[in-house]
Amino acid sequence: MTDVTTDDLADVLGTCETAWLEFKSTAKRAGKRGDAIGNAVCAMANDLAGHGGGDIVIGVDDQGNPLGDVDTSDRALLALTDLRDDGRILDRPSFTVATAVYRGKPVVRIHVKASATPPVRFEGVVWVRPGPTTRKATRDDERVLAERRRAADGPFDTRVVQGSSLEDLDLGLFHSTYLPSVVDPEVIDENGRPLAQQLASLHLAQPSDSPVPTTLGLLVTGFDPSSRIPGAYVQFVRYQGVDLDAPVADDQELRQNIVDTAARLETLLRGNVRTRLVENGFREEQRPDYPIEALREVSMNALMHRNYETSYAPTRIAWFDDRIEVTNPGGPYGQVRTDNFDRVTDYRNPSLAAAMKALGYVNRFGRGIGRIRATLRRNGNPPPEFQVDESSWSVTLRATL
């Protein structure tokens, strides 16, 4: 949220709906499936008109008349702001919510910035606003948005990986698992888009008659991403002791895509968790030495935030008898610093973050560290120990006392 805008928006934005200005009489449907606010934010982020984004003014009817009864409470503004982080709009949009004045009456203004990685989807559907009406994108709309993304040469995770081809992608996994997770089933049934356009629309390949996979395409559906992206694998080592000189009980390299790596990691982590009986009043209950929820959050956040561009080091999971150390290449990024990493969120790999959210590996954006701390506390573990410097990130989890 931001402070109240002092200028009258009628003078700043105009009094008629356009491709970059939409009026809404109410925001009561925000938070429900298919809500008009979510559709509008998605459309403004896609910025089909090339205006740089757009504005949604709540509390004004379709003719540009202010209603004067809009809810401008902090609770209402926070509910709208939650659209940014609840994972229904992917890639994550950038927008601000503020109270404002329109023709002398109070309103709420949502100012949306154009996405650097279109097309953006709301609940699996691409929405656009070519004129004063928001609608579902056509095949040509999605092609234009994908080509615009390519021309802008956005984040590393959406750049093409030269030398790779569609043969590097597990297209069976794409159709059976990834596509249904990211795109609304009704859209899949009705669109009839060719494979190349589907891959380009989802940032998995460049928009071309001979598509080349992107970093994202290899990471989420590649047979072996590390064959093209050298550091894209996980090294898991189980030591029988408390230091690096201890005997190694298990040593594995996980070189599959995100989906298959997550499945193998779950088996590995669950297989190494030990439980013991603890007293809880008059009852005895089994308690694991590490809660699986914390292990999942640490592992998935490591894969999501690591530096795939300039480091060939893997994500490392070292499991000792008394602790687990997870180390990741890639220090603070964007707004994140070494002194605020647990409070501020930014994304080195925004499209990968969106993909992992759609696949269910991330619950909400910006909540990972809080969830790790909470699950460890509930299980009786000491707090996690983070070490963050300019080039790496690591966390140590210690077993229950």
Side-chain angles (χ1 to χ4, degrees), residues 261-312:
T261 293
R264 283 193 61 190
L265 263 179
E266 181 178 6
T267 300
L268 268 176
L269 298 177
R270 288 187 182 277
N272 282 278
V273 168
R274 299 292 179 263
T275 60
R276 62 187 177 91
L277 287 175
V278 296
E279 293 184 357
N280 184 6
F282 286 98
R283 301 168 54 194
E284 287 187 336
E285 61 182 32
Q286 288 193 331
R287 179 175 296 173
D289 50 1
Y290 301 97
I292 195 66
E293 295 90 343
L295 299 183
R296 181 183 64 242
E297 287 287 341
V298 168
S299 301
M300 292 298 99
N301 274 274
L303 296 178
M304 183 171 68
H305 290 293
R306 66 151 292 160
N307 176 9
Y308 291 97
E309 183 175 8
T310 61
S311 174
Y312 294 165

Side-chain angles (χ1 to χ4, degrees), residues 217-247:
L218 292 171
L219 290 176
V220 299
T221 63
F223 288 108
D224 177 9
S226 66
S227 66
R228 303 292 183 181
I229 309 167
Y233 69 99
V234 177
Q235 183 181 53
F236 176 89
V237 183
R238 177 65 168 98
Y239 294 94
Q240 291 181 321
V242 297
D243 55 45
L244 295 175
D245 295 328

Side-chain angles (χ1 to χ4, degrees), residues 24-25 37 44 53 58 75 239 261 313 317 335 347 375:
K24 292 295 179 186
S25 59
I37 301 298
M44 295 300 183
I58 302 171
R75 182 177 179 179
Y239 294 94
T261 293
I317 302 176
Q335 301 179 70
Y347 293 91
T375 54

Side-chain angles (χ1 to χ4, degrees), residues 11 28 32 109 132 188 240 330 335 339-340 394:
D11 299 326
K28 290 183 179 179
K32 297 181 180 179
R109 177 189 185 185
I188 297 175
Q240 291 181 321
Q335 301 179 70
D339 62 339
N340 69 2
S394 67

Side-chain angles (χ1 to χ4, degrees), residues 1-5 9 77 96-100 107-111:
M1 295 181 295
T2 59
D3 294 331
V4 175
T5 301
L9 291 185
L77 299 185
T96 57
V97 179
T99 56
V107 294
V108 175
R109 177 189 185 185
I110 304 176
H111 179 65

Side-chain angles (χ1 to χ4, degrees), residues 346-395:
D346 211 332
Y347 293 91
R348 175 180 279 107
N349 308 303
S351 292
L352 178 60
M356 294 181 69
K357 173 65 180 69
L359 287 164
Y361 300 133
V362 179
N363 181 266
R364 286 177 62 89
F365 294 123
R367 303 291 179 86
I369 292 178
R371 286 171 63 86
I372 293 167
R373 286 172 168 159
T375 54
L376 289 173
R377 183 173 60 251
R378 288 195 298 267
N379 193 62
N381 297 77
E385 302 166 16
F386 293 95
Q387 288 188 327
V388 181
D389 58 35
E390 293 305 315
S391 61
S392 67
W393 171 96
S394 67
V395 58

Side-chain angles (χ1 to χ4, degrees), residues 120-137:
V120 176
R121 285 177 164 78
F122 176 65
E123 295 182 333
V125 179
V126 179
W127 294 90
V128 294
R129 192 170 174 85
T133 302
T134 296
R135 60 164 172 77
K136 292 182 180 180

